[in-house]
Amino acid sequence: MAKILIIEDDLTFSQLLEGFLKKHGHEPYVVHDVKSTFKIISQHNFELFLIDYRLPDGTGLDVLAHLRENGLNYPVVIMTSFNDVRTAVKSIQLGAIDYITKPVNPDELLMIIRGSLEKKEEKGQPASVEHEDFIKGKSTTADKLYAHIDLVAPTDMSVIIQGESGTGKEYAARTLHTQSKRNTKPFVAIDCGALSKDLAASELFGHVKGAFTGAVNDKKGQFEAAEGGTLFLDEVGNLSYEVQVKLLRALQERVIQPLGSTKKIPVNVRIITATNDDLLNSIQNGEFREDLYHRLNEFKILLPALRDRGKDLELFINHFIKLSNTELDRNVQHLSGPVKDLLLQYDWPGNLRELKNVIKRMVLLTPTDTAGIESLPDEMILAIKQTPKPGGSDLKAINESNEKTLILETLIKVKYNKSKAAKLLNIDRKTLYSKMERYEIE
């Protein structure tokens, strides 16, 4: 049983969620806005957050930012009805562990809750070098990527891994560690995006008792925990300027100084960092130190987006189907024509992480051996059907494109109930049918 906070402004939906979670043995609490969320998390501890993206006084991202700023590392699942996975990608960059789109499928929700709680339990465990979630791929792009990894892994060079969210940066870092001379020593991963400004220095370098309010015992930092091995700093661009100064000193002098201590501790670690943005932009904006960048960037590995990996996509699809069949006790062996076409045409803004989630959901919702189009999220269907907005000053074309998008989003929201859709759009059914025919909406 888990203590779960539901943050949802739709009263009916929040009541349904509350009853559903109670039925399955959980202990749900419900709030309806950002302000109430901040109040309740100051009074209670939770094992999981279910957060609606749009709230009356802000968004789910405001809650994520508040958790990060206060060093509260709770698992967070974002719920969004915007049929746009790009929102979910942004939330994951801020620390969300997963996302789910509305209307919520009960089996999918239970699967995500179970998986999120399992990930929470795994945190802090020794890093494993076995990662069946990812495979190398066989494209020219994959060959080039792993040639670079093979080349730099045996060295002690500092490496920056750059790639979009979900491209497998931590997996690449673990591979570098596994193929290095340090592979018998610890691999310690830190999500810098989830560290508050005040706690980042303590997490990296440790502190002594009394160093600050709440420091009731001495704490060993992650530099010491990774002694002899590899320290992986994910989203290193999120570190504050003050912590960047301390990190640069640690790299230059190979010593650290715990907060509140005068003692200097020698360290021997290899630094691998990751970022989903080009740190050169952060340097130009005055957000990242140029001297630290050059210390970290002895070698750079660029991870390609999934949409740029060619035939590897089919390989990944088959791999994740196999994994999901085993995990969910399903037997999906085939994809219907529309499913295969959609999976290959979609641009995968969330990359491998999104593909894994979509395939797992597809397998869960497929009781037979063949996956149908109904097992894929509506937002994917919308993304393929949606006509790109035209450029220039063709006002009529722009309005038509916006109108088509609005009709599609409304139809998905009401599960293609045309009477409800017409009512929400404030038009009659005849006009709706006419516009659907005009815009080739099935």
Side-chain angles (χ1 to χ4, degrees), residues 159-433:
V159 179
I160 291 179
I161 303 171
Q162 183 177 321
E164 294 179 9
S165 180
T167 48
K169 295 187 287 294
E170 182 170 344
Y171 172 72
R174 290 176 185 272
T175 303
L176 286 169
H177 174 73
T178 304
Q179 295 180 201
S180 75
K181 299 172 184 176
R182 297 174 177 266
N183 59 11
T184 59
K185 299 294 185 179
F187 174 90
V188 176
I190 302 176
D191 181 1
C192 299
L195 294 177
S196 70
K197 179 180 177 181
D198 296 332
L199 295 180
S202 169
E203 188 71 19
L204 287 170
F205 311 114
H207 64 252
V208 297
K209 181 180 178 180
F212 51 85
T213 303
V216 294
N217 294 300
D218 291 355
K219 178 186 175 181
K220 182 183 290 188
Q222 299 293 10
F223 261 89
E224 286 187 83
E227 176 64 23
T230 302
L231 182 61
F232 173 55
L233 303 177
D234 196 8
E235 299 308 336
V236 68
N238 288 315
L239 291 177
S240 69
Y241 197 81
E242 293 80 4
V243 176
Q244 290 176 38
V245 173
K246 294 178 182 290
L247 178 58
L248 177 63
R249 182 182 177 190
L251 297 178
Q252 288 175 333
E253 301 178 13
R254 295 191 176 276
V255 296
I256 60 167
Q257 187 171 337
L259 298 185
S261 173
T262 57
K263 181 181 178 183
K264 293 183 179 180
I265 302 172
V267 289
N268 171 25
V269 298
R270 181 189 192 179
I271 301 293
I272 298 175
T273 55
T275 176
N276 60 25
D277 191 18
D278 191 341
L279 289 177
L280 291 174
N281 295 329
S282 300
I283 292 171
Q284 291 176 355
N285 296 331
E287 298 168 352
F288 201 83
R289 291 182 62 102
E290 185 173 5
D291 46 5
L292 175 58
Y293 172 78
H294 291 302
R295 276 280 175 180
L296 298 174
N297 188 34
E298 292 181 331
F299 194 93
K300 181 178 284 186
I301 291 176
L302 298 176
L303 291 189
L306 184 55
R307 58 185 171 275
D308 298 326
R309 296 196 62 162
K311 292 185 177 180
D312 280 349
L313 177 55
E314 291 189 56
L315 191 68
F316 292 135
I317 289 170
N318 293 330
H319 177 69
F320 288 133
I321 288 175
K322 183 179 178 182
L323 289 180
S324 299
N325 276 335
T326 301
E327 181 178 345
L328 302 173
D329 194 24
R330 289 285 197 263
N331 186 37
V332 176
Q333 301 296 327
H334 309 287
L335 303 176
S336 69
V339 168
K340 186 171 183 179
D341 290 344
L342 187 57
L343 291 175
L344 296 179
Q345 290 174 33
Y346 186 59
D347 67 346
W348 298 108
N351 293 293
L352 284 168
R353 182 190 288 120
E354 182 187 4
L355 176 64
K356 180 187 175 186
N357 287 350
V358 166
I359 295 299
K360 193 172 182 180
R361 178 186 191 275
M362 180 192 78
V363 170
L364 177 72
L365 300 179
T366 304
T368 65
D369 66 351
T370 303
I373 196 71
E374 69 282 352
S375 65
L376 294 181
D378 288 331
E379 67 267 20
M380 288 181 62
I381 302 170
L382 175 65
I384 295 298
K385 288 183 177 180
Q386 186 172 337
T387 305
K389 291 180 173 60
S393 56
D394 187 343
L395 186 60
K396 181 180 179 182
I398 292 172
N399 286 339
E400 288 180 351
S401 178
N402 289 338
E403 185 175 65
K404 178 181 178 180
T405 300
L406 179 60
I407 291 172
L408 277 167
E409 289 178 343
T410 304
L411 285 167
I412 288 172
K413 182 178 181 180
V414 299
K415 299 183 181 179
Y416 287 85
N417 183 316
K418 297 177 185 62
S419 296
K420 288 184 179 179
K423 187 175 181 180
L424 286 174
L425 293 166
N426 198 27
I427 57 177
D428 57 42
R429 280 173 58 91
K430 184 178 179 181
T431 303
L432 176 60
Y433 279 116

Side-chain angles (χ1 to χ4, degrees), residues 70-87:
N70 288 275
L72 301 172
N73 198 18
Y74 296 120
V76 171
V77 175
I78 289 286
M79 301 181 291
T80 176
S81 56
F82 289 96
N83 308 307
D84 187 356
V85 77
R86 288 155 183 81
T87 297

